[in-house]
Amino acid sequence: MKLVPLGDRVVIKALKAEETTKSGIVLPGQSKEKPQQAEVIAVGPGGVVDGKEVTMQVKTGDKVIYSKYSGTEVELDGEEYIIVKQSDILAIME
Amino acid sequence: MKLVPLGDRVVIKALKAEETTKSGIVLPGQSKEKPQQAEVIAVGPGGVVDGKEVTMQVKTGDKVIYSKYSGTEVELDGEEYIIVKQSDILAIME
Amino acid sequence: MKLVPLGDRVVIKALKAEETTKSGIVLPGQSKEKPQQAEVIAVGPGGVVDGKEVTMQVKTGDKVIYSKYSGTEVELDGEEYIIVKQSDILAIME
Amino acid sequence: MKLVPLGDRVVIKALKAEETTKSGIVLPGQSKEKPQQAEVIAVGPGGVVDGKEVTMQVKTGDKVIYSKYSGTEVELDGEEYIIVKQSDILAIME
Amino acid sequence: MKLVPLGDRVVIKALKAEETTKSGIVLPGQSKEKPQQAEVIAVGPGGVVDGKEVTMQVKTGDKVIYSKYSGTEVELDGEEYIIVKQSDILAIME
Amino acid sequence: MKLVPLGDRVVIKALKAEETTKSGIVLPGQSKEKPQQAEVIAVGPGGVVDGKEVTMQVKTGDKVIYSKYSGTEVELDGEEYIIVKQSDILAIME
Amino acid sequence: MKLVPLGDRVVIKALKAEETTKSGIVLPGQSKEKPQQAEVIAVGPGGVVDGKEVTMQVKTGDKVIYSKYSGTEVELDGEEYIIVKQSDILAIME
């Protein structure tokens, strides 16, 4: 069984191996959204989302930085995934 | 008697058999919307909703992940349904 | 004397005979808007509302599910009506 | 001296003769905006308001239901008027 | 030295001679914005403001009703002015 | 070293010589944004900002009234500047 | 490994050498976003972002002023970066 995201949604799987932020001092504004690394598992078709044309820019297998507290955790067949909107993905790591 | 949703609304019925989230630690940001599995019962016609063209992407019988605290519970003929907007459906399970 | 709603507004009359929700457990998110059954009494002309073209999809006599805490109660000639926007009508019961 | 409303504004005068709501039980959601009957005194030209084309649908002399707590009270030559946006007028009474 | 307002702004000067509201009972919703009479001193050029075409409908010398708590008080050469957006002007008094 | 503002931003320098507001009574609504006089130091190119075409209407050397609590203070080479959006500039003093 | 920002995002690296604000008195409105100097490391492709065409105006190597509490801190290979939207960049220092 697999997850097929709708619209501009992306299914990602968090990478847990290394801590992403090691900075000792956490500033108020920045601590609100803690970035995290993840791998893209499935990508929605894009198209018109909320009345706006969205082109998907990430693809399955991409390693990405996403806003940690965005998205929705989903467990399927014992695996944990996160479903985010593409706009919650900040950058691709190459 | 059956429910015919308007616009981009979808009538779904929650699947109760298995717990969807088993993760021990619930993170603040993610606990806000608890995902849940449901079956699509009826799908609105889409069209122009709030001034934006919406194409329906789910169909009757689809198993979907939706944002649990979205939508409106409705009871009809002793059965409980939830009416959500299609944008509250995150992914289809295949 | 009758009510002629403007724009995308609909005059409805609540159906009181049967309780619409019998569920013992009320979930926080869903209790915010308590659905209710009503009959459509009069339908506005639609057209451009708040800069967006609205086509009316309900008609006089329709039995509908609407968001209970939306709309405005109006009493006219001893009868109580509710004036809602069409977007507050979730589904038609057929 | 008379009031010439701008844009989509309408000058109305509240009808005080009869109480509009006699319902004993006031529901939380509905009590937020208490409807009231008024007569239309002057109607703005409509046109582009906040970037959206507005066509005026009420005319001088119309008896209307409006959202009571919307609008601005104005006193001119000892008479009290209320200036509302047309979108605060819910229905015309015929 | 004179004030040349930008965009859809209007420089007005409050008329203080007569009290505009004499109503004994102040209703909660209406007390939020206390209307007031003013004279138009200078009118901005209009044009595209916040991405929307605005046509100026008031002119220097107009007596207007404006929302009292909108706008910004400015003192120039010992005179007090208020700079409001045209949309804060409710009606012209003729 | 000089500041080149982006989009619809304007670099201004506050004029401190004379107090701009001398009114004894400060009304609640108006005290929210305290106007202030400044000189325009540098003007952004305008163009499409947040999806909207913006034409710059102020130029270097203009004396302007701006909303005091808008904008961001920047210190460069011992001089203090404020970077505001053009829409925070209310009027030009001529 | 390098960061490739999506859409209108920009990867920057804060310049720490000199304090940007030395003003003794911090005004409430301005203290909300503390400006800071940074160097642009990588620039997203721009294009349609949230339904609006965005043209990137900064380039790698630019020294910029950005809103300090905007953006997201990211650590990669022991280096700390900040990912901001281009609209959080106020000015280029030349």
Side-chain angles (χ1 to χ4, degrees), chain E residues 4 7 9-10 16 26 34 39 49-50 69 71 77 94:
Chain E
V4 181
R9 289 200 174 85
V10 178
K16 286 163 194 174
V26 177
K34 219 175 165 180
E39 188 180 336
V49 176
D50 202 26
Y69 295 127
D77 301 335
E94 288 189 351

Side-chain angles (χ1 to χ4, degrees), chain F residues 28-55:
Chain F
Q30 273 130 353
S31 66
K32 276 190 304 198
E33 47 173 337
K34 219 175 167 180
Q36 196 159 298
Q37 300 180 6
E39 188 180 337
V40 173
I41 302 299
V43 179
V48 178
V49 176
D50 203 26
K52 292 165 189 159
E53 185 68 35
V54 176
T55 306

Side-chain angles (χ1 to χ4, degrees), chain D residues 5 8 11 19 26 28 32-33 35-37 39 42-43 47 54 58 60 76-77 80-81 85 89-90 93-94:
Chain D
D8 62 343
V11 177
E19 263 214 65
V26 176
K32 276 190 303 200
E33 48 173 335
Q36 195 161 298
Q37 300 180 7
E39 189 180 336
V43 179
V54 177
V58 294
T60 303
L76 196 69
D77 301 335
E80 270 189 39
Y81 302 100
K85 293 183 150 267
I89 296 180
L90 306 173
M93 293 182 291
E94 288 188 351

Side-chain angles (χ1 to χ4, degrees), chain A residues 3-77:
Chain A
L3 289 167
V4 181
L6 289 183
D8 62 344
R9 290 201 173 82
V10 177
V11 178
I12 58 176
K13 193 159 175 51
L15 300 176
K16 288 162 194 174
E18 54 225 317
E19 261 214 69
T20 43
T21 58
K22 279 170 216 164
S23 66
I25 301 152
V26 177
L27 296 168
Q30 273 130 354
S31 67
K32 274 190 305 199
E33 47 172 338
K34 218 176 167 180
Q36 196 160 300
Q37 300 181 5
E39 188 180 337
V40 174
I41 303 297
V43 180
V48 178
V49 176
D50 203 26
K52 292 164 188 160
E53 186 68 35
V54 177
T55 307
M56 302 311 284
Q57 295 173 308
V58 294
K59 58 181 191 301
T60 302
D62 277 354
K63 299 280 187 296
V64 296
I65 302 284
Y66 72 101
S67 293
K68 188 173 173 182
Y69 296 127
S70 63
T72 305
E73 261 189 1
V74 177
E75 188 175 306
L76 195 71
D77 301 336

